[in-house]
Amino acid sequence: MIMRLVVLLVLGFSWVELGEGASYRKRFKRQKLDFDGNVRNKVKMGEKHMECDDGETNIDLDWSGHPMNYTCYHPTTPILSNTLPPVLECEDLAPDYQPQHFCMTTPISYDHPIPHHGNHRPIWPKFGEYQFVPPQRWLHNIEHGAVVMLYHPCAHPAMVEKLRKLVTGCIRKHVITPYTNIPEDKPLALVAWGCRMLMSSVDEVEVTNFIREKGLHGPEGDYPKEGQFTKGLVKLAEIPAGSDNDDSVLCPNYI
């Protein structure tokens, strides 16, 4: 008798096939997978896994859903632009550094209020604009070369719209979200792999230079695959005119 053992780790099943040639008996047995700690090499990236991360189950571990994360509670007195210069902060990350992936059973926190790298969830957001999405999600996009635009909910709408227009016109792989963990004197920020730039106003040259110089970096900076997390998605990203799905031309309509 010939016995073949096929192990389907991603699905958590083992398949034992008994028989000579064609199988005449099959047994399916549920295997207990270990989802503790880093699952980067245990769970296939970009595929939903209910017991680890499907983008829907237990997501309140990262965000309770409270509107304070995207609501301005003094809308009649918005934060206005000022003359403070932008602050660019970058870290020279090791070439072999790769963030760890953790399932929705493990809390993730960061040392900086606006992290530009770090551990995150296996399922990343679709590129685009959100009512709110937490850093535990968008840091995965950054690993894939995305540029994340953050703005304080009370930042003047004109400032936000000016920055939004630049970001969406420069790179398809972007995530835009309000963010309260940002200083009010610099209520706008761009984040890319290893870098963040905090701004008190929007300067076209500074923004486009940041995207061109810092975008598409990271361990998988040229990876174009769309994400699967959609909680709070307002608008799906579009390819900027003059570029393509791979963002081969950044900021194609700007000098």
Side-chain angles (χ1 to χ4, degrees):
M1 177 181 290
I2 298 174
M3 178 180 290
R4 291 193 297 163
L5 175 62
V6 180
V7 180
L8 305 176
L9 288 177
V10 173
L11 297 178
F13 289 96
S14 66
W15 170 17
V16 178
E17 182 178 307
L18 304 173
E20 187 73 23
S23 63
Y24 61 82
R25 190 193 314 172
K26 295 178 182 177
R27 299 175 185 172
F28 291 88
K29 183 179 180 182
R30 187 72 177 178
Q31 300 295 305
K32 179 67 175 177
L33 297 183
D34 179 13
F35 293 119
D36 292 334
N38 181 22
V39 296
R40 189 179 186 102
N41 298 316
K42 300 177 184 178
V43 176
K44 189 172 182 180
M45 184 181 68
E47 289 190 4
K48 292 186 175 183
H49 198 299
M50 186 179 299
E51 292 177 286
C52 176
D53 181 20
D54 62 2
E56 301 173 20
T57 305
N58 202 32
I59 58 175
D60 58 352
L61 182 65
D62 296 331
W63 176 46
S64 67
H66 199 288
M68 68 176 291
N69 292 97
Y70 56 82
T71 303
C72 178
Y73 291 100
H74 51 88
T76 58
T77 54
I79 301 172
L80 304 176
S81 61
N82 59 61
T83 58
L84 291 175
V87 174
L88 177 64
E89 299 173 329
C90 292
E91 183 176 343
D92 188 15
L93 302 175
D96 60 348
Y97 166 70
Q98 287 191 329
Q100 297 181 348
H101 294 176
F102 289 96
C103 297
M104 295 309 303
T105 53
T106 303
I108 302 176
S109 60
Y110 305 102
D111 295 333
H112 193 281
I114 305 176
H116 51 48
H117 70 281
N119 302 330
H120 48 251
R121 302 302 179 193
I123 297 297
W124 65 95
K126 287 183 178 294
F127 300 110
E129 182 164 0
Y130 287 78
Q131 182 183 48
F132 177 77
V133 63
Q136 289 87 348
R137 293 289 174 184
W138 52 253
L139 276 174
H140 199 149
N141 297 71
I142 282 179
E143 184 184 358
H144 294 176
V147 171
V148 173
M149 168 186 157
L150 306 175
Y151 64 93
H152 194 286
C154 290
H156 196 285
M159 296 169 58
V160 176
E161 177 57 28
K162 184 176 181 180
L163 184 56
R164 177 189 291 117
K165 184 177 180 181
L166 287 169
V167 171
T168 58
C170 276
I171 184 169
R172 179 188 70 88
K173 292 200 300 185
H174 68 261
V175 172
I176 300 173
T177 179
Y179 197 68
T180 53
N181 213 2
I182 188 171
E184 292 196 8
D185 63 342
K186 293 183 179 62
L188 306 171
L190 293 178
V191 190
W193 179 253
C195 290
R196 58 182 162 257
M197 183 169 68
L198 280 66
M199 300 167 286
S200 60
S201 60
V202 181
D203 182 278
E204 180 179 308
V205 173
E206 290 169 345
V207 170
T208 55
N209 282 347
F210 180 92
I211 294 173
R212 285 170 173 153
E213 294 171 7
K214 312 303 182 184
L216 305 184
H217 291 291
E220 297 163 338
D222 58 354
Y223 191 57
K225 185 177 179 180
E226 187 63 271
Q228 291 184 308
F229 184 86
T230 59
K231 173 72 173 180
L233 180 64
V234 175
K235 184 179 181 182
L236 192 65
E238 299 177 355
I239 298 172
S243 188
D244 53 31
N245 194 66
D246 294 329
D247 284 309
S248 59
V249 182
L250 293 174
C251 306
N253 300 297
Y254 297 95
I255 299 174

